[in-house]
Amino acid sequence: MSDLPERLSLREVGPRDGLQNEEPVPTAGKVALIDALSATGIGRIEAVSFVHPRAIPQMADAGEVWGAVAPAAGVRYSALVPNLRGAERALDAGFAELEVVVSASDTHNRRNLNRSTEESLDDLAAVVDLAHDRAASCQVIVSTAWGCPYEGDVPVERVLSVAGAALRHGADSLSYGDTTGMATPSRVTRLVGETRSAYPDVALNLHFHNTRGTGLANVLAALQLGVADFDASVGGLGGCPYAPGATGNIATEELVHMVEDMGVTTGVDLEAMIDVARQAERLVGRTLPSQVLRAGPRTRTVTATPIREV
Ligand code: ZN
C-alpha cells in the first residue's frame, strides 16, 4: 500500500448530485447543508447546478441557494452546468469553478441534454472559452464512462475519444462519472490506465455511484493507480425512493473512514461529517444508505455495562 497517494482532494457533491435526485427540499435546508459541510474540513463542494427548472425542479432555486451560502475560507465551491446558458448564470452568480457535463453515450446524452454527444462537445468549447474569459476554470465531466442504461457497456475507446475532444477544447481537468453504477475495479483499472497512457498529464477526478455495491472497491482500484481526486455525497444522498434503481454516490463518510485508516489524509473531520449525514437524513426525511452513519467509525466503542449476577 506504500504507493497510495498521501492525500486526497475530495469534492462533496451531496448538495447537487444528491439533492437533485431526492424529493425537493426547502432552500434554507440546502443552504444549511452546504454551510455545515463547509465546516467539516472538506476542500471542495459542488454546491448547485444551473439547469432548466423544468428539467430538474430540485435545482430551480440554485441562484437563491448560492446567494445565501456563507462561503468558508479554504473551501472551493463549484457549479455544474449543462450548456452555455447555464455557464452564464453560474458565472454571473460568482462561481469561479464550473463543471460541464457530456455523456460518452450518445443515447444518454440525447435523453439528458437533448442533443448528440458531438453537438455537446461543440457547445462545450464555447462553455470552456466563456469560463476562461471570465477567469474561471472548467472541468469536463464525461458521464456514463463505465456504461449506459440504454446502450450497455461504453467502449473504452469511445470514452477516450470524448475525453480527448474535451481536452482539445481546453478543459482544465476531467472527471469520469459512473452515472449508473456500472463500474467494477477491473474496469476502473483499465479506463484509468488507458487514460494515463493517452493523456499522461491530465488532472482526473472520479465520480462513483454505489448502485451495485462496488463504489468503495472502485475507489481502492483507482487509489492503487495514484488517483487522488474523488467525488462523494454525504450520507450517500441521491437515491430517490420514487425512482426505481436510482442510487446515490458513494457516501463521503464511508470514503473518509476507509482511506484515513489506510494512511491517506483527506482533511475531513469524520465525526463532523457523520453529524452532517444525520442532518442530511433529517432534510430528506428518509434513512440514507451510509453504513458508517449507522454503525459509527470502527474506533467508536460502547461503554461495557456490568453483567448482572443471577
Ligand atoms: Zn452522479
Side-chain angles (χ1 to χ4, degrees):
M1 297 266 178
S2 58
D3 47 2
L4 296 181
E6 278 177 26
R7 188 179 179 87
L8 300 188
S9 175
L10 300 184
R11 178 167 59 194
E12 169 62 46
V13 298
R16 199 284 302 170
D17 203 3
L19 291 184
Q20 123 172 9
N21 291 296
E22 299 280 350
E23 288 292 291
V25 299
T27 304
K30 296 179 187 177
V31 174
L33 181 67
I34 294 169
D35 285 343
L37 287 164
S38 303
T40 62
I42 195 121
R44 293 142 70 209
I45 299 175
E46 187 185 63
V48 290
S49 64
F50 288 92
V51 289
H52 199 287
R54 263 206 310 274
I56 301 178
Q58 290 93 332
M59 291 288 128
D61 58 356
E64 282 170 75
V65 169
W66 181 239
V69 162
V75 180
R76 290 159 50 197
Y77 300 87
S78 62
L80 183 88
V81 302
N83 52 32
L84 197 56
R85 174 80 195 103
E88 281 166 356
R89 288 175 60 203
L91 293 164
D92 288 347
F95 280 97
E97 289 192 30
L98 304 189
E99 291 121 29
V100 62
V101 64
V102 58
S103 182
S105 142
D106 207 60
T107 314
H108 188 267
N109 206 74
R110 285 181 194 280
R111 289 282 299 254
N112 223 24
L113 299 167
N114 225 359
R115 53 188 185 271
S116 70
T117 299
E118 290 308 315
E119 288 166 321
S120 271
L121 284 170
D122 290 342
D123 192 49
L124 188 150
V127 170
V128 173
D129 286 348
L130 178 69
H132 289 170
D133 283 349
R134 310 239 329 234
S137 67
C138 188
Q139 174 175 86
V140 173
I141 298 174
V142 182
S143 68
T144 64
W146 282 278
C148 162
Y150 313 110
E151 296 182 10
D153 284 334
V154 173
V156 167
E157 298 68 33
R158 167 75 177 173
V159 180
L160 291 182
S161 123
V162 172
L167 292 171
R168 279 196 304 281
H169 290 325
D172 296 291
S173 59
L174 280 183
S175 172
Y176 286 156
D178 185 24
T179 316
T180 50
M182 291 167 70
T184 62
S186 58
R187 290 173 187 276
V188 170
T189 301
R190 173 149 187 241
L191 181 56
V192 170
E194 298 219 7
T195 301
R196 284 278 168 69
S197 301
Y199 316 111
D201 301 323
V202 69
L204 183 65
N205 163 283
L206 299 179
H207 174 108
F208 294 118
H209 283 250
N210 201 33
T211 318
R212 293 175 178 83
T214 56
L216 287 183
N218 293 335
V219 168
L220 182 56
L223 283 177
Q224 287 167 337
L225 294 176
V227 175
D229 181 349
F230 297 92
D231 283 357
S233 77
V234 64
L237 269 174
C240 175
Y242 304 100
T247 310
N249 298 87
I250 54 173
T252 313
E253 62 276 16
E254 291 188 342
L255 174 59
V256 169
H257 179 260
M258 181 182 85
V259 303
E260 292 271 354
D261 193 56
M262 296 165 70
V264 178
T265 305
T266 63
V268 174
D269 178 330
L270 181 57
E271 292 284 356
M273 189 58 77
I274 291 172
D275 286 344
V276 182
R278 254 183 235 115
Q279 177 178 343
E281 259 190 351
R282 288 194 297 273
L283 180 63
V284 297
R286 71 180 185 92
T287 302
L288 291 176
S290 164
Q291 289 174 263
V292 169
L293 169 57
R294 295 274 84 74
R298 54 179 292 287
T299 49
R300 189 185 287 174
T301 52
V302 293
T303 310
T305 48
I307 297 163
R308 215 170 282 145
E309 300 218 15
V310 280

